Amino acid sequence: MNGMQATDTPGNPGFAAWVRAKRKSLWLSQKKLARLVGCALVTIQKIEEGHRRPSPAVAEALARHLEITEEQLQQFLHLARTTPITTRVPTSTSPPRDRLPMPLQPLIGREDLLTGVQQHLLSPSVQMITLTGPPGVGKTRLAVQVAAELRGEFGGNLYFVPLASLDDHEQVLPTINRRLGLPDSGAATPAERLIRFLGGRQQLLVLDNFEHVLGAALPLAGVLEACPGLRLLITSRTALRLSGEQEWPLKPLEHGPAAQLFAERVRAFDPAFVLSTQTLPAVTEIVSRLDGLPLAIELAAMRLRYGPPEALVIRLRTTLLGSLGSGPVDGPARQHTLQAAIAWSYQRLDPRLQRVFRQLGIFVGGWSVEAAEAIAGAAPSDLESLLDGHLIQQGGQRLGILETLRAYALEQLDTRHEAAAARDAHQAYYLAAAQTHQDTDLDWFEAEVGNLRTALRAQLDGRQVEAALNLALAIYWFWETRGYQHEGLKWFSLILKQSARVAPPLRLAGLNTAATLAWQSGRFDLSRSWLAEATALSRETGDSEWEARVLMNQGKVEVDQGCYAQARRVLEPALRLARDLSSPWLVCAVLLQMTTVSLCLGEQDQTQILADEGLALCHDHPGLFWEAPLLEVLGLVALERGQASLARRHLIQALRLMGKFDHRLMQSLILTTFAATLAGPDADQDDLRQAVGLWACAEATRNCSGYGWSVAIGERFERWTSQSRQRLGDPDWILAWAAGRTMPLQDAVADLLAEATERLSPPI
């Protein structure tokens, strides 16, 4: 080998032999070389055994610390990349001393955890590691791999002790003793026999499924304290809560490793299977629906013997657990199906916790502590126990459950005939809670959107139309302000088909609100139809307030479609009714629509008069929503009069006021007008680019919700953006537009308000 000495390549000119020979010639131990290179001891061991290739970085570090010469370096690195990986060949047909289950398939997606757990187990300061996580997350598989890679470090003093079959925690130490081959006789206690056997011996014990024998934790702690060479690697849904315990919670796999695991398991019976543009969408949905749980993914992969991934997706959408089938017959019984894995954990809960766990399955998208107490009867201690057992999860202030566990909980609800009562409690709670939070806490609605949808669906399925309509009305403001117009319209359409017999005031509220969502979504014919019915019903019942509200919305429909004369004919009687009712809110609402009509007809002075009247009412009655939209109209008037600075002051004030309402579509409209003030005749390139970015952000926000431009706004928007493109030039305009489309609306508003003080402050 190019003049290498025998000590470089003793006997076999392979890379593993070369590393081993050089290490020994330099009087380096494997542990010291690992420390110099910056890798785990097990990595050096596997490289020298020929079972692992080093990464390029490790290979270069090895070359440096093994003093490989420049003449030998290229060949050394080449061998590092190309040396074949050998597999272990048993020297005996007898079972291995450690009786460790041999993993038949590679571990995927846990590489960092594998290295971290190994390094901690070899640390003098750590004697005990507990791998925790929900059923099916792969605790046992990771523990086995860790132990398998530490065989050399413990000199074969390594044992795997399964505890799943035990039903008495007092049998844990005797079971460990039997696994070690210790006699179960004499006067000594199991703990004393174990301590006497271990003494100062270096030993690794893997104790699998400890969660149901937690009573053995204290005796085990005594053994650990008496045996400094003992290391424990434990799998359990629940930590043992011992001093010195290092807990490693396992989370489900991320999408990438989860898809890789799925593909690897499919290739066990279909070697041609690959993740491609055709298969990846279905595989991604499969692993997502299975929460990234390795056991669930492996079971799902086996179903591809009987059909393509797309067929499995369809089954998972309807029957999640029932679609997975069974696993390999040589695996533990509790892992033959995902249901069995979850059932094994569920059955070891006390009856109260079983009931709480079942009831929590009714939630969709998580829940608050208050909701869990009201619906599931869960005390804080119950939730803490389920959290400790990894049967539920915590994210911020909310709690949640993996979808696979939720499916099992719902099955148990059905089996025990508790589902109907749970649904009723869920619907009643979320109707009352939505009415409490109505118009005041939009973030609550955002967090609870899954539960609100579930409650609405259940109410409609149960033909509880009045409750469904009341719930939809409570959610309406959230749908409008956060850009869920299309979803809100869908729910109202379904409800109104069934609500003909509800009380007239409630149906009036539903018709008017649904019509609002319809015109916001560009469904003007549908809006007109509902408003016509609402007008007739309000006159039939003599409800002049509802008549004024409906006329105001009819005017808005005509305004948005550019029918200004017709809009004025509808809005004038609406204004008279609103004034007769002495309703500041309603008067301002009608005045806003009338200012839009006047502005579109070129009546700037009349627009100013109407807007000033509305703003005076807002000042007399602080907190009215309409103040910001009226200021936006005055911004437009000032802009048309060439008063850009005045327009900006109006618009900045409108943005500040709108912040407390968080009405994103109204904010996007104000941004659109503000951008026009930046793009005036004297604008420089930076102002033009900022204006283009704001227009792009506003359009993206409105497109996302499906909220269309009115005729007038659309014409202004087209004129402003076209002019800016001509002035800025295509390359700069396209870049500014692209940047604006990716900017979140709230960031754009915050940035604008942050610089407003400097822009609008008068010079000193």
Side-chain angles (χ1 to χ4, degrees), residues 23-24 26-36 41 44 48 66:
R23 176 180 60 78
K24 290 181 177 180
L26 296 170
W27 294 88
L28 293 171
S29 67
Q30 288 182 330
K31 186 176 290 187
K32 185 171 183 180
L33 180 58
R35 189 163 57 249
L36 290 170
L41 170 62
I44 299 298
E48 291 194 0
L66 293 177

Side-chain angles (χ1 to χ4, degrees), residues 362-376:
I362 203 69
F363 291 102
V364 178
W367 60 85
S368 65
V369 173
E370 295 77 14
E373 182 178 4
I375 297 172

Side-chain angles (χ1 to χ4, degrees), residues 465-533:
V465 183
E466 185 172 326
L469 187 48
N470 276 311
L471 181 54
L473 288 168
I475 304 171
Y476 156 71
W477 187 242
F478 165 73
W479 283 330
E480 174 174 328
T481 56
R482 291 291 174 91
Y484 287 81
Q485 268 77 7
H486 283 304
E487 179 176 347
L489 180 59
K490 179 197 75 172
W491 286 114
F492 271 105
S493 298
L494 293 171
I495 294 167
L496 289 175
K497 287 178 181 177
Q498 298 184 22
S499 66
R501 296 185 180 180
V502 301
L506 182 58
R507 182 160 177 84
L508 265 171
L511 288 166
N512 190 64
T513 305
T516 301
L517 291 169
W519 62 251
Q520 288 176 350
S521 303
R523 300 284 303 279
F524 295 110
D525 289 343
L526 181 59
S527 183
R528 281 196 177 97
S529 171
W530 280 332
L531 289 171
E533 182 184 347

